[in-house]
């Protein structure tokens, strides 16, 4: 027994010795032949179900060795260390973003990249692209009223994006300022219709209506009219000649005119504005101008146009009193729609519709733009997604209300500008603003979708 025990101990000792030398051998093989392989960075992304502007990034790198990793979301910020779980990132500005994922281990660094496209009105585009809601222009989405926009003579024949968008989307044109008195009648007995002609000819050639804006407006009367040297009777004759000459020139081409613009004052009681026309022609100057216009072109649709009709019920009353006084000389009311994302209310806009319809007049939602920078923040550099959505909702509301107007009272909706950066409001308020349907690169905004959905 003792012999056996000794034998076992010796055998085990020998076995242990042989094993330990085997271990040494294996260890040497590992050190010599298995070096660390460079990690291959890889990631995937999916568009968030809850938020179309957000993506969820997933690190899909497979590696046996330890590695560290960082993200560059392509937005110009610092790189961000990868952490466990999905990384959620929001993109709110239109553009292309290259996302880079960098993985590093002992053997080196590798990089994976993917580029995503973001459109402000859709959010992050899927790999199939950003789905177009409609291939039609706005004008094809309704056949009960004209969809109009303003333009300037130098833009329309450039042949670029501006011209294309005008032709695709709109079927009514208005001159932003070139068919006002200071441009068409710059000095006594001298007319200049060159810019107006260019706009009207373009519209006629492209099967668009022209809405003439505006024959009489205190803000656009030339100096020589403001300081007219003749008698009151001569002044009135001059106004009659001007209205007659202008409307005769565009007879058959311009289907409608704002004969008088903004005659009602903003001050308490909303009296007739004390313009040179009122001073020289008397309190019934508006009526006289409408009579001259009716005589000059009996087929033209004649509008009285003003602002704050929805926002101020007092001014609304004064405007409808003036319109009532015009009787059959006026065919319609132009309600300028320089409004904001939360003002005026649906009810106040509807009140303008109801008052117009009850009088059997045509209604023009003229000069539509919707302000967003209500804080007058000079430092804003872009339209936030939140404001863009509210603006979309307001465009939809306005167009919805208009769409419900009885067809015999419908006339058109005119947007006061094509691209945000061209809007008169930028200069008028002196702060950044994005009030229109297209951004500065002619991309349709959410506002466009709002207009479309309203139709
Ligand atoms: C503005 C134009 O947009 C500007 O380009 C121009 O300098 C001044 O007039 N109400 C009107 C429009 O009836 O004619 C105005 O248009 C905007 C306010």
């Amino acid at each position: 027994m003792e012999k056996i025990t000794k034998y076992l101990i010796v055998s085990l000792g020998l076995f242990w010795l042989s094993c330990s030398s085997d271990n040494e051998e294996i260890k040497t093989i590992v050190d010599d032949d298995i070096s660390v392989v460079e990690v291959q960075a890889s990631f995937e992304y999916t568009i968030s179900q809850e938020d179309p502007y957000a993506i969820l990034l997933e690190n899909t790198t497979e590696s046996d060795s330890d590695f560290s990793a960082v993200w560059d979301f392509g937005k110009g910020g610092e790189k961000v260390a990868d952490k466990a779980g999905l990384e959620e990132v929001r993109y709110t500005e239109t553009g292309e973003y290259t996302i880079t994922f960098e993985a590093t281990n002992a053997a080196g660094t590798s990089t994976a990249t993917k580029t995503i496209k973001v459109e402000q009105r859709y959010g992050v585009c899927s790999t199939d692209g950003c789905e177009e809601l409609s291939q039609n222009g706005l004008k094809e989405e309704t056949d009960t009223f004209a969809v109009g926009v303003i333009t300037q003579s130098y833009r329309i024949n450039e042949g670029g994006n501006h011209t294309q968008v005008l032709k695709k989307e709109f079927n009514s044109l208005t001159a932003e300022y070139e068919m006002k008195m200071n441009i068409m009648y710059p000095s006594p007995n001298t007319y200049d219709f060159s810019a107006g002609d260019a706009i009207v000819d373009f519209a006629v050639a492209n099967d668009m209506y022209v809405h003439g804006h505006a024959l009489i407006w205190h803000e656009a009367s030339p100096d020589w009219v403001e300081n007219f040297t003749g008698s009151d009777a001569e002044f009135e004759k001059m106004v009659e000649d001007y209205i007659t000459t202008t409307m005769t020139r565009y007879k058959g081409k311009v289907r409608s005119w704002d004969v008088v613009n903004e005659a009602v004052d903003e001050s308490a009681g909303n009296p007739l504005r004390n313009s040179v026309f009122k001073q020289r022609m008397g309190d019934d100057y508006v009526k006289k101008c409408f009579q001259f216009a009716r005589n000059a072109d009996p087929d033209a649709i004649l509008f009285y146009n003003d602002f704050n009709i929805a926002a101020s019920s007092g001014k609304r009353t004064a405007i409808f009193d003036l319109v009532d006084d015009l009787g059959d000389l006026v065919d319609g009311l132009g309600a300028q729609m320089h409004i904001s994302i939360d003002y005026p209310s649906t009810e106040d806009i509807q009140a303008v519709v109801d008052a117009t319809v009850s009088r059997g007049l045509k209604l023009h939602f003229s000069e539509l733009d919707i302000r967003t920078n209500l804080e007058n923040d000079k430092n804003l550099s872009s339209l936030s997604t939140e404001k863009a959505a509210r603006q979309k909702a307001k465009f939809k509301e306005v167009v919805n209300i208009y769409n419900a107007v009885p067809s015999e009272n419908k006339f058109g909706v005119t947007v006061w500008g094509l691209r945000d950066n061209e809007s008169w409001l930028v200069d008028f308020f002196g702060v950044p603003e994005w009030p229109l349907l297209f951004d500065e690169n002619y991309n349709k905004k959410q506002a466009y979708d709002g207009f479309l959905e309203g139709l």
Side-chain angles (χ1 to χ4, degrees):
M1 181 67 192
E2 213 181 297
K3 261 187 177 172
I4 293 173
T5 310
K6 269 186 188 161
Y7 174 72
L8 276 175
I9 291 170
V10 170
S11 302
L12 274 171
L14 283 171
F15 179 66
W16 181 82
L17 274 176
S18 79
C19 279
S20 69
S21 64
D22 273 354
N23 275 352
E24 281 305 310
E25 217 176 293
I26 289 167
K27 199 163 177 268
T28 316
I29 290 168
V30 169
D31 280 349
D32 286 349
D33 291 357
I34 304 185
S35 53
V36 176
V37 179
E38 185 180 303
V39 62
Q40 291 302 306
S42 103
F43 72 94
E44 296 296 336
Y45 73 89
T46 46
I47 301 169
S48 160
Q49 297 285 319
E50 284 84 45
D51 178 356
Y53 296 90
I55 56 171
L56 300 166
L57 289 160
E58 184 183 9
N59 167 8
T60 51
T61 308
E62 286 177 7
S63 173
D64 292 335
S65 59
D66 286 347
F67 69 93
S68 63
V70 286
W71 297 96
D72 178 343
F73 303 129
K75 300 206 289 185
E78 301 260 301
K79 289 180 182 171
V80 173
D82 182 45
K83 56 183 188 327
L86 300 176
E87 193 85 49
E88 180 164 344
V89 189
R90 293 195 91 229
Y91 296 84
T92 51
E93 300 295 321
T94 295
E96 286 200 344
Y97 299 86
T98 298
I99 301 161
T100 309
F101 185 57
E102 242 174 55
T104 305
N105 69 356
T109 296
S110 89
T111 305
T113 61
K114 289 186 198 292
T115 300
I116 59 163
K117 200 172 160 213
V118 177
E119 282 199 6
Q120 204 187 44
R121 56 199 284 257
Y122 295 112
V124 182
C125 305
S126 76
T127 41
D128 302 332
C130 278
E131 179 203 350
E132 269 293 324
L133 290 185
S134 166
Q135 297 300 325
N136 287 338
L138 294 173
K139 64 181 179 185
E140 274 119 19
E141 298 292 331
T142 174
D143 52 10
T144 54
F145 63 91
V147 184
V149 69
I150 53 167
T151 192
Q152 298 177 18
S153 61
Y154 85 93
R155 290 190 189 281
I156 49 172
N157 287 315
E158 282 177 344
N161 283 327
H162 184 94
T163 318
Q164 271 175 24
V165 177
L166 285 193
K167 289 203 258 188
K168 177 163 190 256
E169 304 287 344
F170 301 96
N171 53 10
S172 175
L173 265 194
T174 294
E176 177 161 16
Y177 65 91
E178 291 164 316
M179 289 170 79
K180 292 171 180 168
M181 193 178 195
N182 55 348
I183 304 290
M184 295 192 294
Y185 204 7
S187 50
N189 302 314
T190 310
Y191 286 95
D192 180 357
F193 292 116
S194 54
D197 286 356
I199 292 171
V200 172
D201 291 349
F202 174 89
V204 170
N206 291 290
D207 215 12
M208 301 166 100
Y209 294 119
V210 181
H211 175 68
H213 172 85
L215 290 169
I216 301 294
W217 184 33
H218 66 284
E219 286 280 349
S221 45
D223 286 349
W224 71 270
V225 169
E226 288 290 324
N227 307 307
F228 192 76
T229 49
S231 67
D232 290 353
E234 285 166 334
F235 184 95
E236 189 168 318
K237 185 81 185 79
M238 175 277 292
V239 169
E240 181 174 8
D241 284 349
Y242 155 70
I243 291 178
T244 308
T245 305
T246 306
M247 288 188 67
T248 305
R249 182 177 191 89
Y250 294 121
K251 213 173 160 122
K253 295 179 177 173
V254 171
R255 96 163 154 152
S256 51
W257 280 99
D258 290 331
V259 179
V260 178
N261 191 31
E262 302 182 0
V264 174
D265 202 279
E266 292 295 287
S267 61
N270 302 102
L272 202 57
R273 194 184 293 278
N274 192 22
S275 68
V276 67
F277 303 100
K278 174 178 180 294
Q279 291 165 23
R280 293 302 204 126
M281 293 165 66
D283 282 1
D284 57 348
Y285 88 88
V286 177
K287 201 175 220 171
K288 288 177 180 170
C289 291
F290 271 84
Q291 186 64 65
F292 301 149
R294 189 65 97 208
N295 297 345
D297 182 359
D299 295 327
I301 307 170
L302 306 183
F303 281 89
Y304 174 74
N305 195 55
D306 214 325
F307 65 103
N308 278 351
I309 307 184
S312 158
S313 63
K315 189 167 180 189
R316 182 155 71 237
T317 305
I319 287 169
F320 279 107
D321 285 349
L322 184 146
V323 163
D324 287 343
D325 194 44
L326 291 172
D328 288 347
L329 290 175
V330 67
D331 301 308
L333 174 80
Q336 293 181 19
M337 279 289 176
H338 300 296
I339 62 173
S340 86
I341 47 178
D342 39 47
Y343 194 76
S345 67
T346 317
E347 293 70 32
D348 283 337
I349 299 173
Q350 188 62 46
V352 177
V353 173
D354 295 344
T356 311
V357 170
S358 71
R359 288 166 167 81
L361 292 168
K362 290 198 181 302
L363 177 63
H364 183 196
F365 273 0
S366 59
E367 310 191 21
L368 175 60
D369 47 32
I370 302 186
R371 291 192 72 207
T372 58
N373 188 356
L374 311 179
E375 302 78 19
N376 290 320
D377 183 347
K378 282 194 187 327
N379 301 317
L380 271 191
S381 58
S382 61
L383 178 64
S384 72
T385 312
E386 186 261 334
K387 289 271 184 74
R390 282 163 67 193
Q391 187 184 46
K392 172 183 175 177
K394 199 69 182 173
F395 267 106
K396 182 173 174 178
E397 175 190 310
V398 168
V399 175
N400 244 318
I401 292 174
Y402 194 83
N403 221 359
V405 169
S407 55
E408 59 274 25
N409 304 96
K410 274 187 175 144
F411 173 79
V413 175
T414 298
V415 185
W416 206 250
L418 195 59
R419 290 184 293 166
D420 283 339
N421 56 316
E422 294 167 359
S423 168
W424 74 295
L425 291 169
V426 176
D427 284 339
F428 191 76
F429 287 108
V431 292
E433 189 48 80
W434 298 267
L436 298 169
L437 304 180
F438 292 84
D439 74 12
E440 61 183 324
N441 299 314
Y442 295 99
N443 293 312
K444 293 168 183 171
K445 293 166 54 194
Q446 289 193 51
Y448 179 97
D449 294 332
F451 197 114
L452 193 62
E453 288 171 22
L455 292 173

